[in-house]
PDB file of all heavy atoms in Angstrom:
ATOM      1  N   SER A1075     -44.831  14.569 -48.865  1.00 85.00           N
ATOM      2  CA  SER A1075     -45.796  15.553 -48.364  1.00 85.00           C
ATOM      3  C   SER A1075     -46.773  14.905 -47.392  1.00 85.00           C
ATOM      4  O   SER A1075     -47.107  15.471 -46.347  1.00 85.00           O
ATOM      5  CB  SER A1075     -46.540  16.182 -49.546  1.00 85.00           C
ATOM      6  OG  SER A1075     -47.518  17.085 -49.082  1.00 85.00           O
ATOM      7  N   THR A1079     -47.244  15.656 -43.258  1.00 87.00           N
ATOM      8  CA  THR A1079     -48.575  15.957 -42.703  1.00 87.00           C
ATOM      9  C   THR A1079     -48.902  15.026 -41.550  1.00 87.00           C
ATOM     10  O   THR A1079     -49.387  15.451 -40.493  1.00 87.00           O
ATOM     11  CB  THR A1079     -49.641  15.834 -43.805  1.00 87.00           C
ATOM     12  OG1 THR A1079     -49.316  16.730 -44.875  1.00 87.00           O
ATOM     13  CG2 THR A1079     -51.027  16.152 -43.263  1.00 87.00           C
ATOM     14  N   ASP A1088     -49.436  13.931 -29.450  1.00 71.00           N
ATOM     15  CA  ASP A1088     -48.548  13.721 -28.290  1.00 71.00           C
ATOM     16  C   ASP A1088     -48.647  14.869 -27.305  1.00 71.00           C
ATOM     17  O   ASP A1088     -48.664  14.664 -26.083  1.00 71.00           O
ATOM     18  CB  ASP A1088     -47.093  13.569 -28.761  1.00 71.00           C
ATOM     19  CG  ASP A1088     -46.849  12.237 -29.443  1.00 71.00           C
ATOM     20  OD1 ASP A1088     -47.662  11.312 -29.235  1.00 71.00           O
ATOM     21  OD2 ASP A1088     -45.825  12.120 -30.164  1.00 71.00           O
ATOM     22  N   ILE A1091     -51.808  14.517 -25.417  1.00 71.00           N
ATOM     23  CA  ILE A1091     -51.746  13.407 -24.450  1.00 71.00           C
ATOM     24  C   ILE A1091     -50.977  13.816 -23.198  1.00 71.00           C
ATOM     25  O   ILE A1091     -51.363  13.521 -22.073  1.00 71.00           O
ATOM     26  CB  ILE A1091     -51.103  12.165 -25.109  1.00 71.00           C
ATOM     27  CG1 ILE A1091     -52.060  11.590 -26.165  1.00 71.00           C
ATOM     28  CG2 ILE A1091     -50.768  11.113 -24.064  1.00 71.00           C
ATOM     29  CD1 ILE A1091     -51.455  10.476 -26.987  1.00 71.00           C
ATOM     30  N   ASP A1095     -52.803  13.381 -19.800  1.00 60.00           N
ATOM     31  CA  ASP A1095     -52.371  12.220 -19.018  1.00 60.00           C
ATOM     32  C   ASP A1095     -51.662  12.683 -17.745  1.00 60.00           C
ATOM     33  O   ASP A1095     -50.607  13.312 -17.789  1.00 60.00           O
ATOM     34  CB  ASP A1095     -51.408  11.365 -19.854  1.00 60.00           C
ATOM     35  CG  ASP A1095     -51.121  10.020 -19.177  1.00 60.00           C
ATOM     36  OD1 ASP A1095     -51.723   9.748 -18.118  1.00 60.00           O
ATOM     37  OD2 ASP A1095     -50.289   9.271 -19.706  1.00 60.00           O
ATOM     38  N   LEU A1128      18.820  -9.531  17.800  1.00 88.00           N
ATOM     39  CA  LEU A1128      18.723 -10.960  17.516  1.00 88.00           C
ATOM     40  C   LEU A1128      20.052 -11.376  16.915  1.00 88.00           C
ATOM     41  O   LEU A1128      20.424 -10.916  15.839  1.00 88.00           O
ATOM     42  CB  LEU A1128      17.573 -11.245  16.543  1.00 88.00           C
ATOM     43  CG  LEU A1128      17.475 -12.679  16.009  1.00 88.00           C
ATOM     44  CD1 LEU A1128      17.232 -13.658  17.154  1.00 88.00           C
ATOM     45  CD2 LEU A1128      16.366 -12.792  14.968  1.00 88.00           C
ATOM     46  N   LEU A1129      20.766 -12.241  17.605  1.00 90.00           N
ATOM     47  CA  LEU A1129      22.135 -12.521  17.202  1.00 90.00           C
ATOM     48  C   LEU A1129      22.485 -13.982  17.457  1.00 90.00           C
ATOM     49  O   LEU A1129      22.151 -14.535  18.517  1.00 90.00           O
ATOM     50  CB  LEU A1129      23.099 -11.619  17.972  1.00 90.00           C
ATOM     51  CG  LEU A1129      24.591 -11.757  17.651  1.00 90.00           C
ATOM     52  CD1 LEU A1129      24.863 -11.312  16.223  1.00 90.00           C
ATOM     53  CD2 LEU A1129      25.416 -10.954  18.645  1.00 90.00           C
ATOM     54  N   GLU A1146      18.828 -22.954  27.432  1.00 91.00           N
ATOM     55  CA  GLU A1146      17.789 -22.347  26.600  1.00 91.00           C
ATOM     56  C   GLU A1146      16.676 -21.760  27.466  1.00 91.00           C
ATOM     57  O   GLU A1146      16.234 -22.368  28.434  1.00 91.00           O
ATOM     58  CB  GLU A1146      17.214 -23.381  25.630  1.00 91.00           C
ATOM     59  CG  GLU A1146      18.220 -23.864  24.603  1.00 91.00           C
ATOM     60  CD  GLU A1146      17.658 -24.950  23.705  1.00 91.00           C
ATOM     61  OE1 GLU A1146      16.482 -25.312  23.901  1.00 91.00           O
ATOM     62  OE2 GLU A1146      18.383 -25.435  22.817  1.00 91.00           O
ATOM     63  N   ALA A1175      57.275  -8.561  33.393  1.00 86.00           N
ATOM     64  CA  ALA A1175      56.788  -7.175  33.399  1.00 86.00           C
ATOM     65  C   ALA A1175      56.985  -6.534  34.770  1.00 86.00           C
ATOM     66  O   ALA A1175      57.343  -5.358  34.872  1.00 86.00           O
ATOM     67  CB  ALA A1175      55.318  -7.147  32.986  1.00 86.00           C
ATOM     68  N   GLN A1185      65.728   2.978  38.213  1.00 83.00           N
ATOM     69  CA  GLN A1185      66.548   3.755  37.297  1.00 83.00           C
ATOM     70  C   GLN A1185      66.025   5.187  37.177  1.00 83.00           C
ATOM     71  O   GLN A1185      66.802   6.136  37.030  1.00 83.00           O
ATOM     72  CB  GLN A1185      66.555   3.085  35.905  1.00 83.00           C
ATOM     73  CG  GLN A1185      67.624   3.602  34.979  1.00 83.00           C
ATOM     74  CD  GLN A1185      69.028   3.296  35.504  1.00 83.00           C
ATOM     75  OE1 GLN A1185      69.297   2.182  35.946  1.00 83.00           O
ATOM     76  NE2 GLN A1185      69.933   4.269  35.448  1.00 83.00           N
ATOM     77  N   TYR A1199      68.516   4.896  31.733  1.00 82.00           N
ATOM     78  CA  TYR A1199      67.133   5.236  32.110  1.00 82.00           C
ATOM     79  C   TYR A1199      66.159   4.958  30.959  1.00 82.00           C
ATOM     80  O   TYR A1199      65.096   4.356  31.148  1.00 82.00           O
ATOM     81  CB  TYR A1199      67.080   6.708  32.527  1.00 82.00           C
ATOM     82  CG  TYR A1199      65.666   7.263  32.565  1.00 82.00           C
ATOM     83  CD1 TYR A1199      64.767   6.871  33.557  1.00 82.00           C
ATOM     84  CD2 TYR A1199      65.229   8.169  31.596  1.00 82.00           C
ATOM     85  CE1 TYR A1199      63.480   7.382  33.586  1.00 82.00           C
ATOM     86  CE2 TYR A1199      63.940   8.672  31.625  1.00 82.00           C
ATOM     87  CZ  TYR A1199      63.071   8.278  32.625  1.00 82.00           C
ATOM     88  OH  TYR A1199      61.778   8.772  32.652  1.00 82.00           O
ATOM     89  N   GLN A1215      48.380  -7.409  25.514  1.00 89.00           N
ATOM     90  CA  GLN A1215      47.990  -8.144  24.306  1.00 89.00           C
ATOM     91  C   GLN A1215      47.590  -9.570  24.641  1.00 89.00           C
ATOM     92  O   GLN A1215      46.599 -10.097  24.110  1.00 89.00           O
ATOM     93  CB  GLN A1215      49.138  -8.129  23.297  1.00 89.00           C
ATOM     94  CG  GLN A1215      49.368  -6.784  22.639  1.00 89.00           C
ATOM     95  CD  GLN A1215      50.486  -6.830  21.625  1.00 89.00           C
ATOM     96  OE1 GLN A1215      51.141  -7.863  21.424  1.00 89.00           O
ATOM     97  NE2 GLN A1215      50.748  -5.698  20.976  1.00 89.00           N
ATOM     98  N   THR A1224      36.557 -16.147  26.583  1.00 91.00           N
ATOM     99  CA  THR A1224      35.339 -16.023  27.388  1.00 91.00           C
ATOM    100  C   THR A1224      34.241 -15.423  26.513  1.00 91.00           C
ATOM    101  O   THR A1224      34.389 -14.323  25.975  1.00 91.00           O
ATOM    102  CB  THR A1224      35.557 -15.133  28.617  1.00 91.00           C
ATOM    103  OG1 THR A1224      36.618 -15.693  29.411  1.00 91.00           O
ATOM    104  CG2 THR A1224      34.298 -15.044  29.450  1.00 91.00           C
ATOM    105  N   VAL A1236      20.758 -23.043  22.419  1.00 93.00           N
ATOM    106  CA  VAL A1236      22.166 -23.410  22.600  1.00 93.00           C
ATOM    107  C   VAL A1236      22.507 -24.388  21.485  1.00 93.00           C
ATOM    108  O   VAL A1236      22.042 -25.530  21.480  1.00 93.00           O
ATOM    109  CB  VAL A1236      22.411 -24.033  23.985  1.00 93.00           C
ATOM    110  CG1 VAL A1236      23.869 -24.488  24.109  1.00 93.00           C
ATOM    111  CG2 VAL A1236      22.082 -23.047  25.087  1.00 93.00           C
ATOM    112  N   VAL A1274       4.905   7.733   1.754  1.00 91.00           N
ATOM    113  CA  VAL A1274       5.212   6.871   2.900  1.00 91.00           C
ATOM    114  C   VAL A1274       6.464   7.412   3.569  1.00 91.00           C
ATOM    115  O   VAL A1274       7.587   7.146   3.134  1.00 91.00           O
ATOM    116  CB  VAL A1274       5.401   5.409   2.449  1.00 91.00           C
ATOM    117  CG1 VAL A1274       5.766   4.528   3.642  1.00 91.00           C
ATOM    118  CG2 VAL A1274       4.140   4.899   1.767  1.00 91.00           C
ATOM    119  N   LEU A1287      -1.819 -14.464  15.190  1.00 91.00           N
ATOM    120  CA  LEU A1287      -2.153 -14.147  16.574  1.00 91.00           C
ATOM    121  C   LEU A1287      -3.577 -13.635  16.737  1.00 91.00           C
ATOM    122  O   LEU A1287      -4.086 -13.568  17.854  1.00 91.00           O
ATOM    123  CB  LEU A1287      -1.176 -13.091  17.120  1.00 91.00           C
ATOM    124  CG  LEU A1287       0.316 -13.439  17.098  1.00 91.00           C
ATOM    125  CD1 LEU A1287       1.130 -12.274  17.635  1.00 91.00           C
ATOM    126  CD2 LEU A1287       0.590 -14.700  17.906  1.00 91.00           C
ATOM    127  N   ARG A1296       8.750   4.404  11.868  1.00 93.00           N
ATOM    128  CA  ARG A1296       9.848   5.018  12.621  1.00 93.00           C
ATOM    129  C   ARG A1296      11.037   5.343  11.729  1.00 93.00           C
ATOM    130  O   ARG A1296      11.885   6.159  12.089  1.00 93.00           O
ATOM    131  CB  ARG A1296      10.290   4.110  13.761  1.00 93.00           C
ATOM    132  CG  ARG A1296      11.136   2.902  13.379  1.00 93.00           C
ATOM    133  CD  ARG A1296      11.574   2.167  14.614  1.00 93.00           C
ATOM    134  NE  ARG A1296      12.543   1.118  14.314  1.00 93.00           N
ATOM    135  CZ  ARG A1296      13.014   0.271  15.224  1.00 93.00           C
ATOM    136  NH1 ARG A1296      12.591   0.351  16.474  1.00 93.00           N
ATOM    137  NH2 ARG A1296      13.891  -0.657  14.890  1.00 93.00           N
ATOM    138  N   ARG A1307      13.209  -1.825  -7.359  1.00 94.00           N
ATOM    139  CA  ARG A1307      12.658  -0.473  -7.298  1.00 94.00           C
ATOM    140  C   ARG A1307      11.801  -0.271  -6.046  1.00 94.00           C
ATOM    141  O   ARG A1307      10.674   0.216  -6.102  1.00 94.00           O
ATOM    142  CB  ARG A1307      11.825  -0.157  -8.538  1.00 94.00           C
ATOM    143  CG  ARG A1307      12.479  -0.454  -9.879  1.00 94.00           C
ATOM    144  CD  ARG A1307      13.833   0.176 -10.017  1.00 94.00           C
ATOM    145  NE  ARG A1307      13.823   1.609  -9.812  1.00 94.00           N
ATOM    146  CZ  ARG A1307      14.915   2.371  -9.790  1.00 94.00           C
ATOM    147  NH1 ARG A1307      16.110   1.796  -9.902  1.00 94.00           N
ATOM    148  NH2 ARG A1307      14.828   3.674  -9.614  1.00 94.00           N
ATOM    149  N   LYS A1310      13.263   0.543   1.868  1.00 95.00           N
ATOM    150  CA  LYS A1310      12.975  -0.107   3.139  1.00 95.00           C
ATOM    151  C   LYS A1310      12.191   0.823   4.060  1.00 95.00           C
ATOM    152  O   LYS A1310      12.427   2.022   4.117  1.00 95.00           O
ATOM    153  CB  LYS A1310      14.269  -0.526   3.842  1.00 95.00           C
ATOM    154  CG  LYS A1310      15.073  -1.604   3.116  1.00 95.00           C
ATOM    155  CD  LYS A1310      14.443  -2.960   3.274  1.00 95.00           C
ATOM    156  CE  LYS A1310      15.327  -4.046   2.660  1.00 95.00           C
ATOM    157  NZ  LYS A1310      14.666  -5.369   2.724  1.00 95.00           N
ATOM    158  N   THR A1321       4.363 -11.573  22.967  1.00 88.00           N
ATOM    159  CA  THR A1321       3.704 -12.539  22.081  1.00 88.00           C
ATOM    160  C   THR A1321       4.182 -12.422  20.633  1.00 88.00           C
ATOM    161  O   THR A1321       4.029 -13.354  19.855  1.00 88.00           O
ATOM    162  CB  THR A1321       2.179 -12.344  22.113  1.00 88.00           C
ATOM    163  OG1 THR A1321       1.867 -10.988  21.749  1.00 88.00           O
ATOM    164  CG2 THR A1321       1.631 -12.630  23.501  1.00 88.00           C
ATOM    165  N   LYS A1373     -28.764  15.262 -15.503  1.00 93.00           N
ATOM    166  CA  LYS A1373     -27.746  16.010 -16.224  1.00 93.00           C
ATOM    167  C   LYS A1373     -26.411  15.283 -16.122  1.00 93.00           C
ATOM    168  O   LYS A1373     -25.996  14.869 -15.039  1.00 93.00           O
ATOM    169  CB  LYS A1373     -27.600  17.421 -15.634  1.00 93.00           C
ATOM    170  CG  LYS A1373     -26.537  18.256 -16.348  1.00 93.00           C
ATOM    171  CD  LYS A1373     -26.375  19.622 -15.704  1.00 93.00           C
ATOM    172  CE  LYS A1373     -25.282  20.416 -16.406  1.00 93.00           C
ATOM    173  NZ  LYS A1373     -25.061  21.745 -15.761  1.00 93.00           N
ATOM    174  N   ILE A1376     -19.145  15.881 -16.240  1.00 94.00           N
ATOM    175  CA  ILE A1376     -17.786  15.341 -16.380  1.00 94.00           C
ATOM    176  C   ILE A1376     -17.044  15.546 -15.054  1.00 94.00           C
ATOM    177  O   ILE A1376     -17.083  16.632 -14.476  1.00 94.00           O
ATOM    178  CB  ILE A1376     -17.023  16.035 -17.517  1.00 94.00           C
ATOM    179  CG1 ILE A1376     -17.783  15.881 -18.849  1.00 94.00           C
ATOM    180  CG2 ILE A1376     -15.609  15.468 -17.643  1.00 94.00           C
ATOM    181  CD1 ILE A1376     -17.927  14.451 -19.321  1.00 94.00           C
ATOM    182  N   ASP A1385     -14.614   0.108  -2.638  1.00 89.00           N
ATOM    183  CA  ASP A1385     -15.613   0.332  -3.681  1.00 89.00           C
ATOM    184  C   ASP A1385     -15.849   1.809  -3.971  1.00 89.00           C
ATOM    185  O   ASP A1385     -16.676   2.139  -4.823  1.00 89.00           O
ATOM    186  CB  ASP A1385     -16.952  -0.308  -3.267  1.00 89.00           C
ATOM    187  CG  ASP A1385     -16.841  -1.818  -3.135  1.00 89.00           C
ATOM    188  OD1 ASP A1385     -16.020  -2.402  -3.866  1.00 89.00           O
ATOM    189  OD2 ASP A1385     -17.565  -2.396  -2.310  1.00 89.00           O
ATOM    190  N   ILE A1387     -14.426   5.957  -4.713  1.00 93.00           N
ATOM    191  CA  ILE A1387     -13.364   6.710  -5.373  1.00 93.00           C
ATOM    192  C   ILE A1387     -13.509   8.184  -5.008  1.00 93.00           C
ATOM    193  O   ILE A1387     -14.618   8.683  -4.799  1.00 93.00           O
ATOM    194  CB  ILE A1387     -13.420   6.501  -6.908  1.00 93.00           C
ATOM    195  CG1 ILE A1387     -12.193   7.103  -7.584  1.00 93.00           C
ATOM    196  CG2 ILE A1387     -14.711   7.056  -7.480  1.00 93.00           C
ATOM    197  CD1 ILE A1387     -12.045   6.683  -9.038  1.00 93.00           C
TER     198      ILE A1387
END
Side-chain angles (χ1 to χ4, degrees):
S1075 177
T1079 302
D1088 287 341
I1091 290 173
D1095 190 4
L1128 172 62
L1129 181 66
E1146 294 176 0
Q1185 194 64 45
Y1199 164 71
Q1215 288 182 358
T1224 302
V1236 176
V1274 178
L1287 302 178
R1296 76 176 188 185
R1307 310 307 304 175
K1310 295 285 186 184
T1321 57
K1373 180 182 178 182
I1376 302 297
D1385 297 330
I1387 189 168

